Amino acid sequence: MFDPSKLQMLENRLVKVFKHLRKAARRQNITCYRVYDDDINEFPFSVELYEDHVYVAEYQRPHGMDEDAHEDWLDNSLLVISKVLEIAPEKIWVKQRQRKASRQDQYEKLSFESHEMIAHESGLSFKVNLSDYLDTGLFLDHRITRGMVRDEAAGKKVLNLFCYTGSFSVYAAAGGASQVVSVDLSKTYLAWAEENMKLNGFDAGKHPFVHADVLQYLDTLPEDEFDLVVLDPPTFSNSKRMKEFLDIQRDHVSLLNKVLRATKPGGTVYFSNNYRRFSLEADQVNATAIKDITAQTMPFDFQQKLIRKCYKITK
């Protein structure tokens, strides 16, 4: 059963973390950030602020409540979130998050009611969707990594693989890349990426969007083609449209070596993934330098919470 007295625990925790995070966000002029992530066992969800909206994703776990008690628990939790974050309840969007095997499953459309908004980050604009998918379209944990790509992109030919909604592509274009090529298997996300590019005033015709299976696409590339590559693959992917099943632990060496083949000598690959037990087999990767930049790319709102790994690889 749901114990209403536990709500005070949630309120106390939110008050404490929000005070600290709001200060840090204001200092850095950040308007979209994570406030809470499964901090208390009894409240297994993440809470993200997107300017004047809140996105809550509930992790699916056995909770021992019947449907009515669960609804009551969730409604009361949302009232606490609304109160502490000072956001009206009608501007709070809730999703139930299951542990999915593949990115394709994870990105299936969830509802027919739609709430899209334009969110801002580092002077750039991104369409986010708070209602229809399990993820909003902007992964907040890569805020610093995106900035690194922008800082290095001037005059470079950039490749963004598994590009999702193209936030890295927008940052690269904003950094003055000569060309950004964005590749994804989802037409929905490619169209979204193109929309984000246009939203920021960039010519989408100059920056190609390629609908392809990344593993097959890499085989078609000439050697030494790109100066800078972003590679942020799913942990597993078994989409019906993929010829091969991707397992990032098993396949990362061959995937990275294919990417490096298409990278110019001295070029950079930013490689990240979300697999908790990931171990990089560095001695098998054809690179001159590999640097683990996980800690460097850890934003203030993901401290001690971030499970992804991030590497800067030089050919």
Side-chain angles (χ1 to χ4, degrees):
M1 281 297 293
F2 160 54
D3 177 359
S5 66
K6 296 262 173 80
L7 288 164
Q8 194 58 52
M9 288 164 53
L10 176 64
E11 183 168 341
N12 294 346
R13 179 66 187 164
L14 281 174
V15 165
K16 184 183 173 187
V17 296
F18 186 50
K19 184 181 177 186
H20 158 69
L21 291 171
R22 179 156 59 176
K23 271 186 195 162
R26 281 178 176 160
R27 243 191 341 263
Q28 298 175 50
N29 200 23
I30 289 166
T31 56
C32 303
Y33 55 97
R34 183 164 289 188
V35 175
Y36 171 99
D37 191 7
D38 205 5
D39 298 10
I40 303 169
N41 285 340
E42 288 86 351
F43 299 95
F45 42 67
S46 68
V47 179
E48 292 178 342
L49 198 60
Y50 286 85
E51 296 178 7
D52 62 341
H53 288 75
V54 172
Y55 175 78
V56 178
E58 182 193 348
Y59 298 110
Q60 273 218 338
R61 261 183 225 154
H63 47 60
M65 292 181 268
D66 63 30
E67 208 170 309
D68 288 345
H70 180 260
E71 278 301 303
D72 189 32
W73 166 83
L74 187 56
D75 288 346
N76 279 284
S77 299
L78 295 176
L79 286 173
V80 170
I81 292 166
S82 169
K83 175 185 166 186
V84 176
L85 271 55
E86 298 167 7
I87 300 283
E90 60 271 18
K91 288 190 170 184
I92 299 179
W93 301 83
V94 186
K95 285 286 156 285
Q96 288 188 307
R97 176 183 286 273
Q98 287 173 292
R99 300 293 180 194
K100 295 282 190 171
S102 84
R103 182 178 282 199
Q104 208 53 46
D105 289 342
Q106 179 182 330
Y107 294 166
E108 294 300 330
K109 208 164 193 294
L110 290 180
S111 71
F112 296 102
E113 168 199 23
S114 188
H115 181 77
E116 292 176 352
M117 63 176 282
I118 304 302
H120 303 89
E121 186 183 88
S122 297
L124 299 168
S125 303
F126 299 93
K127 182 181 93 171
V128 298
N129 187 313
L130 301 179
S131 55
D132 297 353
Y133 303 89
L134 260 181
D135 287 293
T136 63
L138 187 64
F139 289 129
L140 302 180
D141 63 290
H142 268 309
R143 193 186 301 122
I144 293 170
T145 328
R146 285 191 278 271
M148 288 178 168
V149 167
R150 174 163 63 181
D151 291 345
E152 287 179 40
K156 292 182 177 174
K157 189 170 182 184
V158 179
L159 176 63
N160 184 7
L161 299 166
F162 302 98
C163 75
Y164 185 42
T165 61
S167 55
F168 273 106
S169 301
V170 170
Y171 266 78
S178 58
Q179 187 183 53
V180 186
V181 179
S182 307
V183 185
D184 205 282
L185 192 57
S186 163
K187 287 183 177 174
T188 302
Y189 290 101
L190 276 176
W192 193 333
E194 194 167 341
E195 206 176 325
N196 278 335
M197 198 65 100
K198 289 174 180 168
L199 196 57
N200 290 280
F202 301 116
D203 179 0
K206 183 180 160 186
H207 302 292
F209 294 85
V210 180
H211 176 239
D213 174 344
V214 165
L215 300 179
Q216 291 173 266
Y217 175 77
L218 285 169
D219 291 331
T220 70
L221 291 176
E223 285 184 49
D224 306 340
E225 181 76 3
F226 293 92
D227 302 288
L228 181 58
V229 183
V230 177
L231 177 65
D232 185 19
T235 299
F236 300 102
S237 191
N238 57 352
S239 163
K240 298 176 188 71
R241 289 166 294 174
M242 281 181 74
K243 274 198 168 174
E244 304 155 69
F245 173 80
L246 175 70
D247 172 334
I248 198 58
Q249 183 60 62
R250 183 192 67 196
D251 301 328
H252 73 275
V253 170
S254 61
L255 179 58
L256 281 169
N257 285 336
K258 281 185 181 188
V259 168
L260 285 160
R261 183 181 160 276
T263 306
K264 290 177 186 172
T268 300
V269 177
Y270 280 101
F271 167 53
S272 76
N273 73 79
N274 290 331
Y275 182 45
R276 283 173 188 270
R277 295 189 297 279
F278 181 75
S279 173
L280 184 74
E281 293 169 29
D283 57 330
Q284 295 181 52
V285 177
N286 303 325
T288 59
I290 299 177
K291 188 180 180 190
D292 185 332
I293 58 168
T294 305
Q296 264 175 273
T297 57
M298 186 98 68
F300 70 94
D301 47 331
F302 285 84
Q303 297 293 330
Q304 286 89 47
K305 300 271 182 68
L306 201 49
I307 57 159
R308 67 152 171 80
K309 301 285 201 309
C310 194
Y311 304 89
K312 184 176 183 177
I313 302 174
T314 308
K315 180 168 174 177

